[in-house]
Amino acid sequence: MADKCDLCLLGLIILSSLLTGISGVEENVFISSGENVRLSCDNALSDCKSTTWIYSNRFRHTVVVELIKLGIKIKDIERHERLSLESDCSLNIKNVTEEEDHGLYTCRQYVNDRQQGPDARVFLHVLHVSVSPSSSSSSSSSSSSSSSSSQTEISPGRSVTLSCQLYSYTGFSCADRVRSEGFELLWVNQTGVDLKTDSRYQILSSSDQYRCINITLTTTLLNEDDNREWRCQLTHRNQLETSVRYTVKYSGEKTVLEEPHNVSNTKVYQYH
């Protein structure tokens, strides 16, 4: 009888650990700035009135910020109009911005003021491309805008610099994250060839506390660059996660660098 009880207890322990692992799944979501994103709440109960979403990024805030409290959106935060809660308690963010939205999102359940189960955490990584202001002679919109309609005009024959940045917060150094997870940014042409192999492009990499990885492309535009596409790709262990593309178009006496819809691939990785 004692042996049977021991087996039952062992089974309950195993089952409990499995359930904890499922509800405590940690996700990494990769997206380009300007896009909409949906963050899943893997520990949601049947009623979202128990759901609280909090945001943390120690580079932007000294304390965590409540976005959703017990199913109700907090209105006295800057980006409340871009946030919404779905019926499955997932969090929607419209028009994602690289500086304001990257970071750690935690979905937590409360019943009678007591937390139920472990947290469900989502790390949001945002890829952003901007045009160096020094390379443009005039601009029809903000040079760092991530809107699909943004464009920057420059005179023919002038050099242009595109900066591709991964904004990522993981609670420890970006260098450790890049090394352990194998994150890499690449500038490629329309056929997918790494532009580092072409001497007309100068490619430089750097990093800081806000932009986990930054890779710049500098080149002088040629006549044959009309309708040419360049893409900044984020890869994770040699697998494409998301990308931003820029296409060169000539317009009269000026060169227009315009950014079309920029996400070619967005995936979610789950870590148990």
Side-chain angles (χ1 to χ4, degrees):
M1 184 68 179
D3 291 340
K4 289 183 179 180
C5 290
D6 290 341
L7 288 174
C8 290
L9 180 59
L10 179 60
L12 288 174
I13 292 173
I14 294 174
L15 179 60
S16 176
S17 63
L18 288 174
L19 291 175
T20 300
I22 293 173
S23 64
V25 167
E26 182 177 286
E27 294 183 342
N28 284 267
V29 176
F30 306 90
I31 195 168
S32 299
S33 59
E35 298 296 314
N36 301 333
V37 69
R38 174 181 173 273
L39 306 181
S40 299
C41 180
D42 291 324
N43 63 357
L45 302 179
S46 58
D47 189 346
C48 291
K49 292 181 179 179
S50 63
T51 297
T52 293
W53 275 99
I54 60 176
Y55 169 78
S56 59
N57 186 333
R58 62 186 174 87
F59 298 132
R60 288 182 49 80
H61 304 282
T62 57
V63 295
V64 298
V65 178
E66 285 188 332
L67 306 176
I68 306 289
K69 185 174 183 180
L70 301 178
I72 300 175
K73 182 169 63 173
I74 305 299
K75 293 185 177 181
D76 58 347
I77 55 176
E78 293 181 1
R79 50 179 172 154
H80 78 276
E81 293 182 353
R82 297 192 290 111
L83 305 177
S84 62
L85 193 66
E86 288 198 356
S87 58
D88 64 354
C89 308
S90 59
L91 180 67
N92 288 328
I93 308 175
K94 294 182 178 180
N95 191 22
V96 169
T97 68
E98 64 281 2
E99 293 188 358
E100 191 172 41
D101 295 323
H102 84 282
L104 170 60
Y105 293 79
T106 301
C107 189
R108 187 173 292 168
Q109 306 300 315
Y110 290 97
V111 175
N112 296 325
D113 295 329
R114 297 188 62 179
Q115 182 175 344
Q116 304 297 305
D119 292 339
R121 307 199 304 168
V122 183
F123 287 98
L124 182 60
H125 312 267
V126 182
L127 188 65
H128 177 73
V129 169
S130 59
V131 181
S132 173
S134 62
S135 68
S136 59
S137 59
S138 64
S139 177
S140 59
S141 64
S142 172
S143 61
S144 62
S145 172
S146 60
S147 167
S148 62
S149 62
S150 70
Q151 55 184 220
T152 301
E153 296 181 355
I154 63 175
S155 301
R158 291 192 63 180
S159 66
V160 62
T161 297
L162 300 179
S163 181
C164 181
Q165 304 145 349
L166 176 64
Y167 286 76
S168 182
Y169 165 68
T170 58
F172 51 92
S173 75
C174 279
D176 290 342
R177 179 70 172 187
V178 170
R179 182 169 52 252
S180 63
E181 295 294 340
F183 289 145
E184 185 177 15
L185 291 182
L186 295 173
W187 276 109
V188 301
N189 62 19
Q190 58 267 37
T191 62
V193 176
D194 191 343
L195 291 179
K196 284 189 293 187
T197 62
D198 191 329
S199 60
R200 67 166 290 211
Y201 302 100
Q202 292 78 53
I203 309 293
L204 297 175
S205 299
S206 63
S207 65
D208 60 36
Q209 63 179 1
Y210 295 104
R211 294 158 292 192
C212 196
I213 320 174
N214 180 33
I215 183 169
T216 59
L217 176 155
T218 301
T219 190
T220 300
L221 295 177
L222 306 176
N223 289 334
E224 56 264 34
D225 286 328
D226 189 23
N227 290 318
R228 179 164 291 175
E229 178 185 287
W230 298 316
R231 294 197 311 272
C232 178
Q233 295 184 163
L234 169 62
T235 61
H236 174 247
R237 296 174 181 169
N238 297 318
Q239 183 166 351
L240 178 65
E241 296 296 345
T242 189
S243 67
V244 179
R245 65 180 181 175
Y246 264 79
T247 302
V248 177
K249 291 185 181 295
Y250 291 144
S251 175
E253 295 298 320
K254 292 184 177 181
T255 302
V256 178
L257 201 64
E258 67 174 16
E259 179 186 352
H261 293 288
N262 53 12
V263 174
S264 61
N265 190 21
T266 301
K267 295 183 179 179
V268 175
Y269 274 86
Q270 294 186 342
Y271 296 89
H272 297 268

